[in-house]
Amino acid sequence: MEERRRFYHYLCCCCCEEPTEKSPLISDTLLYFDREVKRRRAEEANLWNEPQDVSHTERDDDRELYNLLQKRAKTRRGSEGYRRLSFDISAHRQVRKDVKDRWRILLDNLGFSNEADSLLTVTSNTSYKTLRNPAEARRLLGILSAETSIFEQQSIPPERYLFVLDRLIVLDMGTEFVSIARRFYPQETIESSEKDTTEPTTAVLVSPCPEEVGDVGEKEESSVEVDEESFLVNLME
């Protein structure tokens, strides 16, 4: 009789126990997408010259920018050191943005205004296996580096534009792009622009409200900084 009571007591206790709560899958999904958004924003802001190198150490310019980003992620926001690092990072990013803007101008002139964004988009997920004409794209990239000023004074052309040239070759516009680049950005452009900057110029007030423009730029830069720093911190952890 006693054994039967123990059996029923054990059975009731087992039936009454609440199942252990499982962590919802939605939280993991949201974390994944949040991480992907931050990664894409960081890649869009940094425009890595070697996008396939996730360590950002193969190229000197990528390694220099990545080291600055890591230093800023460990520096207190608002401090003098933080502001100095932000200035250096912005300078590196501006050089890369200027190069991308030149490519966009050429694509606009070739009639690819609507397709420019997709043609210029290169991320760490872009694989060399997708290249259809790697040898020809490499040859055209070398010509652009040697015979134009589209990359300014970079000794080694950014690898990311190898993918852009391959896409243009598929569209049968690779050679035409190089031709128009020679006309828009000839090799002597850099030297002439440097001479122009040495000539005295008259200061002209362009915008009556520079504070508003600065506020917008600072807000955009701040949002990128927050996303990128949290992304870098997670990587370091």
Side-chain angles (χ1 to χ4, degrees):
M1 188 68 178
E2 185 66 24
E3 293 181 357
R4 184 177 298 177
R5 288 180 181 177
R6 291 180 180 176
F7 173 77
Y8 286 127
H9 178 73
Y10 175 78
L11 183 62
C12 292
C13 291
C14 291
C15 295
C16 294
E17 287 182 357
E18 296 182 358
T20 57
E21 295 184 359
K22 296 182 179 179
S23 57
L25 294 177
I26 188 66
S27 62
D28 295 337
T29 304
L30 289 175
L31 287 174
Y32 170 78
F33 281 110
D34 179 66
R35 187 181 182 86
E36 282 297 299
V37 169
K38 291 177 180 178
R39 179 183 62 81
R40 291 178 182 179
R41 285 181 180 175
E43 289 184 351
E44 185 178 354
N46 296 318
L47 296 173
W48 301 110
N49 289 326
E50 176 51 86
Q52 292 292 303
D53 175 27
V54 295
S55 65
H56 311 304
T57 57
E58 293 183 4
R59 288 179 61 107
D60 293 338
D61 46 8
D62 280 354
R63 182 169 59 253
E64 185 176 357
L65 175 57
Y66 183 67
N67 288 338
L68 288 172
L69 291 168
Q70 282 192 316
K71 288 181 181 178
R72 190 177 68 175
K74 300 176 182 178
T75 305
R76 181 174 59 84
R77 291 181 62 87
S79 64
E80 182 179 353
Y82 187 94
R83 290 193 296 269
R84 190 182 300 112
L85 288 169
S86 295
F87 179 82
D88 293 339
I89 291 170
S90 296
H92 278 271
R93 287 173 170 172
Q94 188 60 45
V95 171
R96 297 158 188 253
K97 184 178 182 299
D98 290 343
V99 173
K100 185 177 181 180
D101 288 343
R102 295 190 193 102
W103 280 72
R104 186 182 298 278
I105 290 173
L106 297 181
L107 291 174
D108 289 345
N109 279 271
L110 289 175
F112 292 105
S113 300
N114 297 329
E115 298 84 2
D117 287 332
S118 59
L119 288 171
L120 291 171
T121 298
V122 180
T123 68
S124 58
N125 293 328
T126 308
S127 173
Y128 281 101
K129 294 180 180 180
T130 62
L131 294 174
R132 299 186 183 181
N133 303 277
E136 179 65 9
R138 182 76 64 183
R139 186 182 72 84
L140 295 181
L141 186 65
I143 294 175
L144 287 174
S145 177
E147 301 180 10
T148 73
S149 60
I150 193 169
F151 297 123
E152 291 188 349
Q153 296 178 332
Q154 298 184 48
S155 57
I156 304 176
E159 192 76 0
R160 66 183 301 110
Y161 293 103
L162 181 72
F163 298 94
V164 182
L165 284 171
D166 184 73
R167 295 164 186 170
L168 290 172
I169 293 172
V170 173
L171 297 172
D172 199 23
M173 295 298 291
T175 305
E176 182 65 23
F177 182 88
V178 173
S179 298
I180 195 174
R182 286 194 180 107
R183 297 197 301 269
F184 274 67
Y185 304 105
Q187 192 68 289
E188 65 271 15
T189 299
I190 298 178
E191 298 178 359
S192 61
S193 63
E194 289 177 351
K195 292 180 181 179
D196 293 340
T197 55
T198 59
E199 298 179 359
T201 57
T202 304
V204 179
L205 182 61
V206 177
S207 174
C209 300
E211 295 84 359
E212 296 181 3
V213 178
D215 292 341
V216 174
E218 289 176 1
K219 289 180 181 178
E220 293 179 354
E221 180 70 17
S222 177
S223 63
V224 174
E225 288 177 9
V226 172
D227 285 344
E228 191 160 46
E229 285 169 10
S230 59
F231 181 70
L232 283 171
V233 168
N234 289 333
L235 286 179
M236 289 184 287
E237 291 176 350

